[in-house]
Amino acid sequence: MIPYSTQTIEDEDIDAVKNILRSPFLTCGPTVTDFEEQTASYVNASYAVAVNSCTSALHIAMMALGVTDSDRVFVSAISFVASANCARYLGADVDFIDTDKFTGNLDVNHLEQMLIDAEKQNRLPKVVVAVHLSGRPVDLQRIYELKIKYGFYLIEDAAHALGAIYKGHKIGDCFFSDITVFSFHPVKIITTAEGGMCLTNDETLYRKMKLYSSHGIEHDKQFLINKDMPNFYYEMQSLGYNYRMSDVHAALGISQLSRIEDFLSKRRELAKEWEELLSSDKNLTLPPADSNDSVSSWHLYQVGIPFGKRDFVYNTLRHRGICVQVHYLPIYKHPYYQSIKNYPSLPGAEYFFERTLSLPLYPKLKKLDLQMCAATLLGLIDEKKL
Ligand SMILES: Cc1ncc(COP(=O)(O)O)c(C=O)c1O
């Protein structure tokens, strides 16, 4: 089977993990702090909080921004459910932003219209979650202008986008946003097995997220509410969770981060190979190439299949051992979301979903395998054979 994505683990990753297993700290040790500092430095952000998944990162990001059950949150419609669930954990009212029909990234014109309507109803969102789908940056400049005009917080869901660059800014530097989150699940750009991280330049948000990631407990004397307490003393200041990343996972993360440029250039090279092999077939819609303003991390290579053929192509490729994937069903179509509200159907998101397939793309994918996958796909798209 050729997967759509998988991890790249080398001996040095295994050695890094072994070293921690032989060290005094499996968790709550210095390796997590090192990983936080190295990632923050890589993306040019001031602060980082490592946690046990991107889902946890999204949850504590929402908490730090003060989201409650009286708030509204707008979320890109094409994403993994976690992008919206984090707001639901806090009881917020979630609405979905339509997406570009070719990239699946949020449609800024639709966001603007939603904001105009929301202002008229006096129900502006507290937070907007913008997803850099497949690693391609959303138009942060335009979203930022709306953020200033309408006063919402912006979370960048960059689960796919570690290493992507927008107008010279590494995704994660939070130049346009309040918080950015990354995922380190095995299919992502780097992995810690399970893991995630929140990045921010705001010290108050950082301190809150740090607290929420570890039971709401403060140890640092300078931040205690009760002063002049004995040395053993720590206090719980708010209701938090155990979302901590372990040092074992962080060691894997550091080892992986040291090779991120290799991972990114391999992904870029393979994306170019896909483009060269598929561009002759005008029935397929290929993802836009990188430009000066927008450099993708190429987490996914997503192509548009002619209408009505996507499921046939999906089933046949899988039957032949090519494990393509669909990213994603619009979130509002999941039974849970249908059960809580009568969500409108969004034309851009529906168009993207109906046609899109994610093809295999990961650093270890061999060019010969990619060429075989391309030939199989092109054979299926050929009108006569469909
Ligand atoms: C866009 C997006 N956001 C959030 C998540 C959640 O990440 P994690 O699996 O690390 O919790 C994912 C996972 O696939 C994702 O694709």
Side-chain angles (χ1 to χ4, degrees), residues 297-311:
S297 59
W298 293 104
H299 164 53
L300 301 173
Y301 195 82
Q302 298 191 286
V303 297
I305 306 290
F307 264 111
K309 319 277 196 227
R310 199 270 314 273
D311 293 350

Side-chain angles (χ1 to χ4, degrees), residues 86-204:
C86 52
R88 292 295 305 144
Y89 296 153
L90 298 163
D93 183 15
V94 172
D95 281 300
F96 293 98
I97 312 158
D98 202 2
T99 69
D100 179 89
K101 59 185 188 176
F102 298 118
T103 66
N105 265 347
L106 79 76
D107 172 350
V108 188
N109 293 331
H110 186 242
L111 171 62
E112 183 168 22
Q113 191 53 55
M114 287 173 78
L115 291 163
I116 293 168
D117 295 346
E119 190 174 44
K120 281 189 202 140
Q121 299 156 2
N122 209 13
R123 290 201 61 233
L124 281 165
K126 181 173 246 172
V127 180
V128 169
V129 180
V131 180
H132 302 295
L133 190 76
S134 80
R136 174 165 298 97
V138 297
D139 192 347
L140 284 168
Q141 177 77 50
R142 282 195 62 205
I143 299 171
Y144 180 76
E145 284 158 17
L146 294 174
K147 166 178 163 59
I148 297 303
K149 182 163 175 192
Y150 292 98
F152 55 81
Y153 294 115
L154 179 60
I155 296 179
E156 291 174 70
D157 183 336
H160 303 179
L162 182 64
I165 302 170
Y166 173 80
K167 294 195 172 168
H169 292 277
K170 278 244 177 75
I171 294 298
D173 78 352
C174 300
F175 185 81
F176 300 96
S177 65
D178 299 282
I179 297 169
T180 302
V181 294
F182 292 123
S183 170
F184 306 127
H185 178 277
V187 296
K188 301 300 190 319
I189 306 299
I190 65 168
T191 189
T192 59
E194 295 282 359
M197 199 177 279
C198 304
L199 285 297
T200 185
N201 295 323
D202 181 316
E203 189 182 352
T204 307

Side-chain angles (χ1 to χ4, degrees), residues 53-55 58 79-80 82-83 131 157 159-160 183 185 188 195 328:
S53 71
C54 183
T55 303
L58 283 161
S79 188
F80 184 58
S83 308
V131 180
D157 183 336
H160 303 179
S183 170
H185 178 277
K188 301 300 190 319
Y328 295 93

Side-chain angles (χ1 to χ4, degrees), residues 23-36:
S23 81
F25 292 105
L26 298 191
T27 190
C28 300
T31 311
V32 174
T33 313
D34 284 352
F35 184 40
E36 289 172 338

Side-chain angles (χ1 to χ4, degrees), residues 248-266:
V248 180
H249 294 81
L252 179 55
I254 291 173
S255 177
Q256 291 260 305
L257 188 63
S258 72
R259 303 202 305 286
I260 188 166
E261 295 308 330
D262 291 345
F263 294 157
L264 292 168
S265 70
K266 199 81 195 105

